[in-house]
């Protein structure tokens, strides 16, 4: 069973696109010659944006591209919490619940999202559209409550109306 | 009124193009750099000016900037680096985001001046993972500076060259610690290094490196433009100049307010629109979540400067002011902070990795009505045994809130343990976690 699964993931595995490699090259150019490992976080980010999540094969491909041991790239991927080592929905929503956001209603935001999507934190909707995550401080406490869409788009001062609007927008993308 | 905005430009709406090079130049930007390059101002003169200004690091530790810059072995042959720490993840802190969003060129100019003073050839700005849009803006500002000959080879036609790049983090609070940040810049797990050696002798790639906070770099052009003494006069002795205070929590208008150091806390609270829904102030964490909490009566008598806050038993830290009103359950508030530190401990040192987990689990059981009589002593004992036994200060940061919450609000913890419920009625708390007015306003 296990070997069948890994066989399947291997046959499904597609290398990174030329566009992704071009973006990674741009990151590598920021560091001194021979220090391309410094670009590993950016390279993993670019790979994750393209693939949706970081499969072991993707991490290995990034490591090989940067000429570093795969285990070193794996260490990085497991250390930073915005990397997804398991598949997530097309839209990952991370809600900050840290103290300043909590004082401004983030628990209401989380409860409303759970109710609307019918999932708890760390779960994905059955249609594979949405994953809900609990996040740590995003450095935007003055705009609390905040949430993050697919790691890159921050939504500030979110209300119920705003959540309804955003969910509809993302669903239609 | 002690609002004296140097770093945060004035603007309407979402700020529009206020961040662009042409607008920074129109505000007098890059004049200081141009003068330094044209007159070949000696590094020693700039360091003397910074020392006279009393400028202290704005990232939390408050180390004098001029002194830090003087530690760099300027004449040491080979590459030297200057690094900006924009990895802002301390709960309550959100000033660097606004500086990079509205005035990125002030940071760039400050870093170029730093490179000039310390003989650096290359620099990086390490930007917090969750603010990707801000990272993109900073990259765009760098492009503008390069195109204008302010960065790169032969800056402004001189023989001074300096390359500057943005590095994007991806979610690790500990990388705000300077040596963890360096490890992360090298493409590794962000685990702090032993000090010594300090970054000035062994930094990124083993080369001399100086790391300053975003606001510190952004302050440099303004300090040099007005002169060290005039800058010092804006604040208080030993706390020179202006500081951006990030105020969050139960206030009507949370946000960033740039004030002269030494401004009374009451004035900041008033600028932030006072307490939300007219409620009573209960407690304030004055310098980011790792700073000790202060009850209302103490903070209301404080001025906001390094010495006054320290005398009151807390620290000014990054200037992140978290305001809590009378509906806040202090056990619940501490539980959330303790969870954060446990979650973010890098795991390298046993006292922090295990101790932060113990602290969280004990506070969690008190909050959930399963607390034991001996738990308060146990919390104190664990909190006393972490600081000083770890490589970096994250362990201290995990212990600090526990000790200060117990110092000022022990009665709430005891009530929780004895009555298996909260001193603040749960219905009232729900009310307290009210969404602020601006959230229900149509977008």
């Amino acid at each position: 069973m296990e070997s069948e699964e890994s066989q399947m993931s291997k046959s499904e595995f597609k290398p990174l696109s030329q566009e992704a490699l071009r973006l990674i090259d741009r990151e590598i150019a920021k560091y001194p010659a021979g220090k391309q490992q410094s670009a590993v976080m950016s390279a993993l980010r670019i790979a994750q944006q393209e693939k949706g999540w970081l499969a072991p094969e993707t991490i290995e491909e990034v490591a090989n591209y940067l000429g570093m041991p795969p285990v070193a790239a794996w260490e990085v991927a497991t250390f930073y919490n915005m990397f997804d080592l398991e598949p997530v929905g097309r839209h990952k929503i991370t809600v900050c619940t840290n103290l300043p956001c909590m004082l401004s209603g983030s628990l209401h935001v989380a409860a409303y999202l759970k109710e609307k999507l019918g999932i708890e934190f760390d779960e994905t909707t059955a249609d594979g559209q949405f994953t809900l995550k609990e996040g740590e401080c995003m450095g935007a406490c003055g705009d609390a409550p905040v949430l993050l869409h697919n790691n890159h788009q921050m939504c500030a001062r979110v209300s119920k109306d705003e959540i309804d609007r955003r969910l509809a927008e993302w669903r239609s993308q | 009124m002690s609002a004296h905005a140097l770093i945060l430009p004035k603007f309407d709406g979402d700020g529009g193009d206020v961040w662009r090079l042409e607008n920074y130049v129109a505000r007098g930007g890059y004049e200081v750099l141009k003068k330094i390059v044209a007159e070949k101002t000696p590094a020693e003169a700039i360091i003397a000016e910074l020392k006279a200004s009393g400028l202290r690091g704005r990232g939390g530790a408050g180390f004098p900037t001029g002194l830090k810059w003087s530690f760099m072995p300027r004449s040491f042959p080979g590459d030297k680096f200057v690094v900006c720490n924009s990895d802002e993840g301390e709960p309550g802190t959100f000033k660097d985001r606004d500086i990079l969003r509205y005035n990125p060129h002030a940071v760039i100019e400050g870093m170029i001046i730093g490179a000039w003073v310390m003989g650096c050839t290359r620099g990086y700005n390490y930007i917090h993972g969750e603010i990707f849009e801000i990272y993109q803006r900073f990259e765009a500002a760098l492009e503008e500076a390069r195109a204008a000959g302010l960065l790169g080879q032969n800056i402004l036609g001189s023989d001074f060259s300096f390359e500057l790049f943005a590095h994007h983090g991806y979610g690790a609070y500990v990388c705000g610690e300077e040596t963890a940040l360096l490890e992360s810049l090298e493409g590794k797990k962000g685990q702090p290094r032993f000090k010594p050696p300090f970054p000035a002798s062994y930094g990124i790639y083993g080369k001399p490196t100086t790391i300053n906070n975003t606001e510190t770099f952004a302050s440099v052009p303004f300090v040099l433009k007005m002169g060290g003494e005039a800058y010092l006069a804006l604040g208080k002795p030993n706390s020179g100049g202006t500081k951006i205070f990030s105020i969050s929590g139960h206030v009507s208008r949370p946000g960033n307010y740039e004030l002269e150091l030494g401004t009374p806390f009451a004035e900041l609270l008033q600028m932030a629109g006072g307490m939300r829904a007219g409620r009573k102030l209960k407690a304030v964490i004055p310098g980011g979540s790792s700073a000790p909490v202060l009850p209302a009566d103490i903070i209301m008598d404080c001025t906001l400067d390094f010495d006054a806050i320290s005398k009151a038993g807390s620290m000014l830290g990054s200037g992140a002011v978290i305001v809590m009103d009378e509906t806040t359950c202090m056990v619940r508030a501490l539980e959330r902070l303790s969870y954060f530190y446990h979650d973010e401990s890098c795991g390298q040192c046993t006292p922090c990795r295990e101790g932060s987990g113990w602290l969280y689990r004990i506070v969690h059981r008190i909050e959930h009505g399963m607390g034991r009589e001996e738990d308060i002593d146990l919390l104190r004992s664990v909190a006393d045994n972490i600081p000083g036994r770890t490589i970096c200060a994250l362990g201290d940061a995990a212990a600090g809130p526990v000790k200060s919450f117990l110092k000022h609000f022990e009665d709430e913890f005891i009530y929780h343990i004895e009555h298996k419920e909260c001193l603040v009625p749960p219905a009232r708390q729900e009310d307290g976690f009210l969404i602020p007015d601006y959230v229900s306003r149509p977008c």
Side-chain angles (χ1 to χ4, degrees), chain B residues 5-74:
Chain B
L6 296 176
I7 298 173
L8 290 178
K10 289 198 177 4
F11 58 81
D12 297 321
D14 67 355
D17 284 341
V18 72
W19 64 276
R20 288 203 172 272
L21 176 64
E22 56 178 20
N23 287 320
Y24 181 62
V25 169
R27 296 193 295 271
Y30 288 112
E31 273 171 18
V32 174
L33 177 70
K34 283 176 186 159
K35 191 160 176 274
I36 288 171
V37 172
E39 294 176 1
K40 297 194 185 312
T41 312
E44 295 75 17
I46 297 173
I47 287 176
E49 208 63 51
L50 290 174
K51 284 183 177 170
S53 75
L55 176 64
R56 293 172 62 170
R58 302 302 197 219
F63 195 82
T65 306
L67 190 60
K68 191 183 231 184
W69 285 17
S70 74
F71 291 154
M72 276 288 269
R74 194 177 193 281

Side-chain angles (χ1 to χ4, degrees), chain B residues 357-377:
Chain B
W358 288 357
L359 292 174
Y360 166 64
R361 286 190 295 275
I362 300 167
V363 180
H364 178 81
R365 77 178 176 225
I366 297 175
E367 165 65 14
H368 290 85
M370 294 173 286
R372 304 164 196 164
E373 209 179 308
E374 65 273 20
D375 275 352
I376 290 180
D377 287 340

Side-chain angles (χ1 to χ4, degrees), chain A residues 26-146:
Chain A
R26 201 182 149 268
E27 294 297 325
I28 292 173
K30 292 178 177 177
Y31 306 95
K35 303 295 185 192
Q36 68 272 21
Q37 182 174 333
S38 284
V40 65
M41 289 166 73
S42 295
L44 289 171
R45 160 174 58 83
I46 292 161
Q48 178 167 292
Q49 286 302 110
E50 179 165 301
K51 302 277 186 185
W53 65 292
L54 293 175
E57 293 86 347
T58 308
I59 296 172
E60 194 173 335
E61 188 189 0
V62 166
N64 290 337
Y65 193 73
L66 295 174
M68 62 192 282
V71 68
W74 185 257
E75 279 187 346
V76 169
T78 52
F79 188 84
Y80 299 92
N81 62 30
M82 288 163 70
F83 291 122
D84 295 309
L85 303 177
E86 282 171 16
V88 290
R90 278 208 318 131
H91 304 283
K92 182 176 84 165
I93 302 172
T94 312
V95 185
C96 175
T97 59
N98 210 310
L99 183 60
C101 270
M102 184 169 109
L103 297 172
S104 288
S106 70
L107 300 182
H108 292 290
V109 168
Y112 188 65
L113 276 165
K114 287 176 183 176
E115 182 199 316
K116 286 279 289 188
L117 298 172
I119 51 174
E120 291 296 312
F121 281 134
D122 295 320
E123 289 181 357
T124 300
T125 52
D127 61 2
Q129 287 286 318
F130 294 98
T131 298
L132 202 55
K133 293 263 178 192
E134 184 171 19
E136 285 303 350
C137 187
M138 298 172 185
C141 324
D143 289 337
V146 290

